[in-house]
Structures are given as structure tokens and as C-alpha cells.
């Protein structure tokens, strides 16, 4: 149910976005503009989604509101993922690091306060490498 809800949300929010669904791995893959960025992979992990953000990091989208039905929780989680994807695709999120040595992401407007953390790695936007 969770992956299906995420697929419907992504299709409605990003009508021209090409993505691949792997039902065996229960994963949605969004191919990058630049190979060095890596794909965005959204994997159904039962009660939450794991979002692998390119070659940089991952995060978990969950909902712990006990008064909601499973479908309502799935919709909250799908909305959180869609909000994140909007920010990524609109270059509002900076990624750094790599999957071998760790990394992370920050909101672009927080770049100055987190700059020392990100300086040791190449920084990326969805649209490409970020030039200083």
C-alpha cells in the first residue's frame, strides 16, 4: 500500500517525470541528470519509505501519528517524499559526500551555516555540481 500511494503521488505531482518501478525490490528509481549524482531510489520498508539520495545519503520517511489509518499514514509519507522531491528538483537541496565515506544534504538557504561540513566534499544540486 505504501509504495502504491507514493507512486500515485509522484505521478500526480510530477506528471512528466520518468521513473522506474521494480516490484521485486519494491523500489521506485528516478534516474539522474548527471551519472555522478546517482539515482534517487525510494524503497518500501513496510511502515516507512527509505529514500536513497543519489550517491550521497539516505533518509526515512515515516508517520507515527497513531490516530491515523494505515492509508492516511501512507498519504502523509507520500506527501513528505513529494515535498522533498520538489525541493531537490528545484535545486533547493544541496547534497555532498559519497556512499563510500558518508555525506548528507542541507537546504540551500542553510548552506552558509553548514558550509564547514560540506567543504570537504564536492557539493551537488540535482541540476549538477555546485560551483563556489
Amino acid at each position: 500500500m505504501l509504495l502504491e500511494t507514493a507512486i500515485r503521488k509522484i505521478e500526480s505531482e510530477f506528471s512528466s517525470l520518468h521513473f522506474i518501478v521494480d516490484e521485486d525490490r519494491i523500489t521506485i528509481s528516478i534516474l539522474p541528470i548527471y551519472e555522478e549524482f546517482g539515482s534517487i531510489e525510494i524503497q518500501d520498508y513496510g511502515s516507512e519509505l527509505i529514500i536513497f539520495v543519489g550517491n550521497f545519503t539516505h533518509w526515512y520517511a515515516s508517520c507515527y501519528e497513531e490516530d491515523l489509518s494505515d492509508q492516511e499514514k501512507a498519504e502523509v509519507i507520500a506527501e513528505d517524499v513529494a515535498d522533498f522531491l520538489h525541493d531537490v528538483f528545484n535545486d533547493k537541496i544541496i547534497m555532498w559526500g559519497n556512499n563510500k565515506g558518508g555525506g548528507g544534504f542541507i537546504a540551500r538557504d542553510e548552506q552558509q551555516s553548514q558550509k564547514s561540513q560540506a567543504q570537504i566534499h564536492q557539493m551537488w544540486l540535482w541540476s549538477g555540481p555546485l560551483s563556489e
Side-chain angles (χ1 to χ4, degrees), residues 42-60:
I42 303 165
Q43 186 173 39
D44 190 329
Y45 199 64
S47 62
E48 59 191 355
L49 295 175
I50 304 173
I51 298 81
F52 296 94
V53 187
N55 294 323
F56 307 103
T57 192
H58 68 281
W59 65 279
Y60 296 84

Side-chain angles (χ1 to χ4, degrees), residues 53 56-58 93-98 102-106 117 121:
V53 187
F56 307 103
T57 192
H58 68 281
I93 303 287
I94 298 172
M95 277 65 65
W96 73 88
N98 60 58
F105 62 89
I106 55 174
Q117 175 96 14
H121 299 286

